[in-house]
Amino acid sequence: MTNRISFQLNASDGKARTGVIVTPRGEIRTPAFMPVGTAATVKAMMPESVRATGADILLGNTYHLMLRPTAERIDRLGGLHKFMNWDRPILTDSGGFQVMSLAGLRKLTEKGVTFKSHIDGSKHELTPERSMEIQRLLGSDIVMCFDECPALPADRDRIAESMRLSMRWAQRSRDAFGDRPGHALFGIQQGGLERDFREESAGALREIGFDGYAVGGLAVGEGQEAMFDCLDYAPDMLPKDKPRYLMGVGKPDDIVGAVARGIDMMDCVLPSRSGRTGQVFTRFGVVNIKNARHADDPRPLDEACTCPACSHYSRAYLHHVFRANEMISGMLLTWHNLHYFQEIMAAMRDAIAAGSFEAWQAGFHDQRAQGDINPL
């Protein structure tokens, strides 16, 4: 068993890379998709079910957990892994993004952010030092720097000011994190869609030195084309021998496009949130299970899929339990979505290793463009 976290690149094909992040709690195969367990649970899923979909790592949310049940309580109860019964790696975000989305309830200074809880209105302060402390109490394996993320579009001055504040906070996060064998700290590149600011940010982070690097501040409303334009150069500015994590992405074609541009890790609430609202991702695009066309359809969502929803239940049943507001609906559809996302990751890892990523990518897009099977 290792007490260090290391990254090993096994193959690349164009800019796409496959490898493994080795941690004391197990290996993370990259490219990796991390299901989001906001409040110490991937909604509608048991931890062992999440593992069965192929997930090697989960994401936990600093902001939500610090407010409820509190990091101190989780620490007293043995840490986040034990608390939520997940013995594999966990990455925690810094809380910065959630706090930023509370624009009306927060006050930003050089020191950090003071904000009111969305739960009970109580007042809290989050600084780089406090974020590191909370993530230490949670016991997460990969810790994210505390940063500020402005919503796009924003003017150049606002983006520059925000990025430079984030870089000062990155240094403070690094100092407060200290030396924690078996745990990694990732820096977060900022700079909006401005290439020169991305370069400046990457330089500042490389100088501080991190165990991995995230591309932050994307998927915040700029649209896929603008995001891909930025990803055409942003990951290349980060060290090649460390994992690169694109935060908060995304839809299946976002994920594939990001991997094609050199990204190793991603997370998104989409598969679980969509599962609860009746939106299903399949090889043939998106299926809306609430549509009446499924009411008499005895076929599975996707006949090639081996998840429980597709193996044991018909579209008619899934349509019925969704319309009837039954709990099993969110459980089955979330399982299917997470299974499908992990299937994409596994297929990409195989294609990159085989040197056939471009052909795989073309096939992926062709299949999705076909659309859902015809109604009966």
Side-chain angles (χ1 to χ4, degrees):
M1 177 150 144
T2 175
N3 75 339
R4 289 267 164 211
I5 291 188
S6 62
F7 178 53
Q8 173 190 322
L9 263 182
N10 295 334
S12 48
D13 186 358
K15 285 188 180 182
R17 305 140 42 106
T18 183
V20 62
I21 301 168
V22 181
T23 83
R25 290 187 188 271
E27 296 189 342
I28 304 157
R29 298 161 293 173
T30 66
F33 179 79
M34 303 183 277
V36 177
T38 303
T41 165
V42 176
K43 289 182 173 61
M45 294 288 283
M46 303 276 281
E48 47 273 41
S49 313
V50 178
R51 178 64 183 145
T53 67
D56 292 336
I57 176 171
L58 290 186
L59 186 136
N61 193 286
T62 291
Y63 167 80
H64 288 281
L65 294 171
M66 72 179 272
L67 295 178
R68 181 172 60 194
T70 74
E72 286 72 15
R73 177 168 285 147
I74 290 173
D75 179 45
R76 285 197 302 273
L77 293 166
L80 187 54
H81 296 82
K82 184 180 177 194
F83 187 58
M84 69 181 289
N85 186 31
W86 174 264
D87 61 1
R88 299 190 62 79
I90 294 175
L91 179 148
T92 42
D93 61 12
S94 69
F97 181 76
Q98 276 71 27
V99 170
M100 297 317 147
S101 58
L102 294 169
L105 299 169
R106 68 178 175 88
K107 183 169 177 268
L108 177 71
T109 64
E110 182 67 38
K111 186 184 177 197
V113 187
T114 45
F115 64 94
K116 284 184 179 163
S117 161
H118 72 285
I119 299 168
D120 60 8
S122 57
K123 216 171 161 189
H124 299 266
E125 183 177 50
L126 206 45
T127 62
E129 293 76 16
R130 176 65 178 143
S131 176
M132 294 305 102
E133 182 189 19
I134 291 166
Q135 294 181 78
R136 182 183 58 75
L137 290 167
L138 295 174
S140 57
D141 306 274
I142 300 177
V143 169
M144 299 305 297
C145 270
F146 189 58
D147 66 334
E148 203 229 340
C149 172
L152 297 179
D155 62 49
R156 265 182 68 87
D157 289 350
R158 169 79 183 91
I159 290 168
E161 184 191 351
S162 168
M163 179 272 288
R164 288 171 189 142
L165 175 65
S166 288
M167 295 309 98
R168 294 192 295 275
W169 285 359
Q171 180 66 64
R172 284 168 54 194
S173 296
R174 172 85 267 179
D175 294 344
F177 180 82
D179 183 30
R180 295 181 59 207
H183 301 267
L185 179 65
F186 280 25
I188 305 174
Q189 182 202 46
Q190 291 290 355
L193 302 173
E194 311 292 327
R195 188 174 187 144
D196 54 338
F197 294 159
R198 288 274 168 192
E199 186 68 79
E200 183 184 330
S201 177
L205 294 173
R206 286 197 310 265
E207 203 166 308
I208 298 167
F210 290 95
D211 305 300
Y213 295 83
V215 178
L218 292 177
V220 288
E222 74 282 358
Q224 189 192 64
E225 194 183 338
M227 177 175 82
F228 281 174
D229 284 349
C230 183
L231 290 176
D232 282 335
Y233 57 78
D236 298 334
M237 297 170 173
L238 302 169
K240 274 196 161 47
D241 61 343
K242 302 284 188 203
R244 300 165 179 164
Y245 162 32
L246 177 60
M247 306 178 76
V249 170
K251 298 189 183 83
D253 50 338
D254 291 338
I255 289 173
V256 172
V259 169
R261 288 163 175 82
I263 292 294
D264 306 303
M265 304 164 73
M266 279 144 292
D267 75 282
C268 192
V269 295
L270 201 64
S272 45
R273 181 179 288 164
S274 296
R276 300 194 305 280
T277 56
Q279 191 181 50
V280 191
F281 296 96
T282 76
R283 290 173 302 138
F284 302 111
V286 180
V287 174
N288 192 338
I289 203 65
K290 41 185 178 281
N291 288 352
R293 62 163 281 192
H294 305 295
D296 286 302
D297 197 331
R299 298 172 297 181
L301 276 172
D302 183 341
E303 59 184 18
C305 178
T306 57
C307 85
C310 294
S311 305
H312 306 301
Y313 301 94
S314 65
R315 288 175 174 232
Y317 179 75
L318 295 170
H319 170 80
H320 157 68
V321 288
F322 182 83
R323 302 291 284 195
N325 221 359
E326 288 294 341
M327 218 178 278
I328 195 173
S329 167
M331 293 158 65
L332 289 172
L333 299 183
T334 299
W335 192 318
H336 167 83
N337 282 345
L338 288 172
H339 177 98
Y340 173 61
F341 273 55
Q342 295 298 348
E343 244 181 8
I344 294 173
M345 306 320 286
M348 286 196 288
R349 292 192 293 264
D350 291 346
I352 296 164
S356 58
F357 183 69
E358 207 165 309
W360 177 86
Q361 196 177 188
F364 166 82
H365 290 302
D366 288 348
Q367 204 170 37
R368 283 177 62 82
Q370 290 173 31
D372 193 19
I373 52 177
N374 291 323
L376 288 173

